[in-house]
Amino acid sequence: MIMKTRNFIYVALAFMALSCAKEIAPETSAPEQDYNIIEKSFTAGIEATKTSMVDGFKIQWKAGDGVTIIDNVAKTAVKYLAAEAGAVSALNPATEGTGVAEGATEIYAAYPWRDGKNALFLENGDELNNCYLTPDQRPSRNGYYASVHYAMAKADATDNLHFKNVNGFIKFNIAAELDNLVKAIYIISNNDEEICGAFKMKWNNGDPQYVYKDNSANRPYVRAYNSNGTGLRTGDYFLGILPVTFEKGFTVVLQMLDGTQLYKRTEKTLTVGEGEILAALQHLAHHLGRQRGPGAVLHQTDGAILEIPLRQMVDKLL
């Protein structure tokens, strides 16, 4: 028996400064030994309206990016890899002989690849479950942490995958005067809206949507820091968050290498939708408030300045 498997061309999510996803073998059954499997390829690309980062930045594929390809009829999920860097890339099976069968009729795709107990799976027809956006992110100058970019696609009749972003980003700039002085960036919801954690992605007839999922791992904050404790360099940093409306705004805290903090708060109602980017400092005035000591920050609201222990603000984070 001969069973063809498919390769796809992504209409790719062009991942800007994106690191490769973990290269772990998928939990799918090996094909029967008498099968002569011919892999199917896909082409993947990104919808321009959903993928502009701002200021000319584009999300682009990096060669080796791992993608989840799901045959919704056979109920199997396998790992494919981007063949080249750029806005459009071919996708090929990560392991020869494990690709989606040529005759598959309903194929969904998702970035990133997740395996084992974290593997993405379809339910309710077109909902991808087991998505998780971590609140602890590694900063990437002029980019973002690879695992905080979620996108979804469905193969068309010619095996093209037009990916669309599902989560949003908050952009934060480290100015030249703060170069190599900031240890961590914290963004905290003032009203405890959950901006990181577990969620689902729904295909929604080609307009992918974020679906809330109640989970004890959900958090009202996101933070970015180098695991080796070194300072952040001058540049733009994009922190991945779930689509949200900040009903009472959010707070930004910069933890400095010398133990002090810079702090600013906005109480404006702000919304970050699927595939949208919020430039934080556009809503936080030109300068962050400065703290008076390593244990406190200055909180400025309606002209009044209050001293608040930093621990009180970020006790959930430490």
Side-chain angles (χ1 to χ4, degrees), residues 12-20 46 50-63 65 84-88 111 138-151 165 168-172 235-240 276-277:
L13 292 198
F15 295 117
M16 176 183 63
L18 192 60
S19 303
C20 296
I46 302 180
K50 288 269 187 175
T51 58
S52 297
M53 292 299 290
V54 291
D55 300 334
F57 289 124
K58 302 289 183 181
I59 300 174
Q60 296 195 1
W61 293 112
K62 182 175 180 179
D65 279 335
E84 58 268 332
V88 177
Y111 184 87
R138 298 293 175 262
S140 175
R141 185 161 57 162
N142 298 325
Y144 54 87
Y145 189 35
S147 64
V148 301
H149 182 191
Y150 274 83
N165 300 334
F169 291 91
I170 291 183
K171 172 190 172 186
F172 191 89
D236 291 327
Y237 294 86
F238 295 85
L239 281 65
E276 294 183 350
I277 299 166

Side-chain angles (χ1 to χ4, degrees), residues 126-204:
D126 69 344
E127 288 185 359
L128 271 170
N129 202 346
N130 222 18
C131 306
Y132 180 75
L133 197 150
T134 179
D136 291 298
Q137 302 179 15
R138 298 293 175 262
S140 175
R141 185 161 57 162
N142 298 325
Y144 54 87
Y145 189 35
S147 64
V148 301
H149 182 191
Y150 274 83
M152 189 176 183
K154 186 177 182 180
D156 63 18
T158 56
D159 292 333
N160 289 319
L161 294 165
H162 299 267
F163 282 83
K164 293 184 179 181
N165 300 334
V166 175
N167 65 284
F169 291 91
I170 291 183
K171 172 190 172 186
F172 191 89
N173 176 265
I174 298 292
E177 60 266 28
L178 296 178
D179 182 48
N180 207 29
L181 298 177
V182 179
K183 181 177 181 180
I185 304 170
Y186 294 82
I187 296 177
I188 310 165
S189 167
N190 296 336
N191 196 42
D192 285 337
E193 289 94 356
E194 295 170 355
I195 61 174
C196 286
F199 66 103
K200 300 179 185 179
M201 295 189 289
K202 182 177 178 64
W203 177 239
N204 192 40

Side-chain angles (χ1 to χ4, degrees), residues 5 7 26 30-31 36-39 79 81 92-99:
T5 61
N7 297 320
N36 179 15
I37 295 183
I38 302 173
E39 310 283 285
K79 183 179 185 179
L81 300 177
N92 301 308
T95 304
E96 185 176 357
T98 64

